[in-house]
Amino acid sequence: GMSGGVDSSVVAALMKEDGYVVTGITLKLYDDAKNSKEGRQCCAGQDILDAKRVSEKLNINHKILFYQKKFKSEVIDSFIDSYTAGETPIPCVQCNQTVKFRDLFRYAKDLKADALITGHYVSRVQNNGHAYMYRAKDRNRDQSYFLFSTSQEQLDYLRFPLGEIDKIETREIAKRLKLNVAEKPDSQDICFVPNGDYSSVIKKFRPESFKAGKILDVSGKEIGEHEGIINYTIGQRKGIKISSDKPLYVVNINADRNTIIVGSKEYLQINKIELR
């Protein structure tokens, strides 16, 4: 799996050096954001070109899979649904559950590949015929929490060569091999959210979500107005725009009533969390 970044490029190079027949697969997941100032997003135009250049440099096969429709329906729509329900989603988990480790997994199997290799920072340990997932050596880069939903079948087939090295070492390998992505900045934002402005994505696909409503204190008293619950997340302090002698935090979001509840920091201290 080649996203066009330094991690997956180095993984492809390491597999080639080890004598494997390598096919690089790049997923095009969404159409490029024309207004992006940074231009640093994975799975879009520039990154696809970078993956292609690395593949040419390594002299490996390179394929592009056009998964925009799948990604829109299974990741972007789910992301928007979650925000409009008053939640704060992690779309990278959804992406790994669907287009990456389900659809790309099937495609790799169809190619009769021996393994699906990715540039995730995850340690994989084989024991008694099955693989187990652990945190990466580089704890600052560890991505095991993104992959918690990986099935046993998938994990047995997957390989993560970067799990036992540090990011600095990854960049050194890229420089040694003279890969054009050696100095490429890391992608920090959600890939389909230009410049970290997630509300602009929701406004584009579901403008009706920006419905004004009440901001309440913890006693239920109205103390202000918001411009849409999707602009808030629990724990948020900045951007509430209400003057108070004590800092106010978002302590609850009621999507059914379209209200934001704010309070002082102690109201964020909870002892019960409901999971599904």
Side-chain angles (χ1 to χ4, degrees):
M2 294 182 71
S3 68
V6 65
D7 296 326
S8 57
S9 298
V10 164
V11 162
L14 290 173
M15 293 297 101
K16 180 74 190 286
E17 274 195 333
D18 283 348
Y20 292 98
V21 177
V22 181
T23 298
I25 307 289
T26 301
L27 308 180
K28 182 167 174 59
L29 299 180
Y30 56 93
D31 295 316
D32 306 61
K34 290 173 185 169
N35 299 323
S36 175
K37 294 172 192 167
E38 303 295 329
R40 182 63 207 100
Q41 303 162 282
C42 72
C43 308
Q46 181 58 49
D47 288 309
I48 290 173
L49 287 174
D50 284 339
K52 196 166 188 60
R53 287 193 192 106
V54 169
S55 298
E56 287 170 358
K57 170 91 175 168
L58 299 175
N59 193 26
I60 63 172
N61 279 331
H62 181 247
K63 297 176 185 288
I64 301 168
L65 303 185
F66 295 89
Y67 279 4
Q68 293 101 311
K69 282 187 179 175
K70 291 183 181 194
F71 190 72
K72 167 69 169 60
S73 64
E74 300 199 70
V75 180
I76 296 178
D77 287 349
S78 173
F79 171 84
I80 295 169
D81 287 342
S82 196
Y83 260 115
T84 55
E87 301 169 341
T88 306
I90 310 176
C92 305
V93 171
Q94 192 87 354
C95 181
N96 286 321
Q97 280 179 317
T98 55
V99 294
K100 285 186 182 169
F101 290 163
R102 184 196 64 199
D103 298 323
L104 180 56
F105 177 88
R106 285 180 196 149
Y107 187 80
K109 288 277 192 182
D110 289 343
L111 285 179
K112 302 216 170 11
D114 294 311
L116 174 57
I117 323 288
T118 81
H120 288 95
Y121 284 84
V122 175
S123 287
R124 177 189 178 280
V125 177
Q126 188 93 9
N127 190 13
N128 294 329
H130 279 307
Y132 297 87
M133 185 187 294
Y134 294 86
R135 286 187 294 176
K137 176 189 173 187
D138 189 339
R139 295 293 167 90
N140 293 319
R141 296 285 169 179
D142 173 60
Q143 292 170 302
S144 56
Y145 59 96
F146 278 135
L147 306 184
F148 74 87
S149 62
T150 308
S151 71
Q152 187 65 62
E153 183 193 13
Q154 291 167 343
L155 194 54
D156 287 344
Y157 188 58
L158 285 159
R159 299 292 186 277
F160 308 105
L162 302 186
E164 300 307 319
I165 67 175
D166 293 325
K167 179 75 179 205
I168 295 168
E169 195 178 337
T170 301
R171 288 204 181 274
E172 288 302 320
I173 294 168
K175 287 175 191 170
R176 170 174 66 80
L177 297 171
K178 297 183 170 56
L179 300 182
N180 59 292
V181 293
E183 302 288 347
K184 190 171 181 177
D186 290 334
S187 169
Q188 298 290 343
D189 290 327
I190 297 165
C191 68
F192 59 89
V193 179
N195 312 310
D197 183 10
Y198 68 86
S199 63
S200 68
V201 174
I202 300 170
K203 191 173 281 185
K204 174 184 172 184
F205 291 108
R206 215 170 292 172
E208 71 277 7
S209 301
F210 289 77
K211 183 181 168 189
K214 296 175 182 178
I215 297 178
L216 311 174
D217 67 13
V218 290
S219 68
K221 178 185 172 187
E222 183 179 347
I223 56 173
E225 191 175 81
H226 66 78
E227 296 175 351
I229 62 170
I230 65 99
N231 291 301
Y232 299 87
T233 188
I234 291 176
Q236 179 176 328
R237 179 179 167 188
K238 292 182 179 178
I240 298 173
K241 298 176 183 173
I242 292 173
S243 59
S244 171
D245 54 350
K246 288 178 77 175
L248 292 175
Y249 298 81
V250 176
V251 298
N252 204 354
I253 298 171
N254 190 320
D256 293 335
R257 295 184 178 181
N258 194 35
T259 55
I260 301 292
I261 296 90
V262 299
S264 52
K265 195 171 187 178
E266 58 262 28
Y267 287 99
L268 290 172
Q269 295 172 352
I270 57 172
N271 56 20
K272 183 179 178 182
I273 296 175
E274 291 184 13
L275 304 177
R276 72 171 188 275

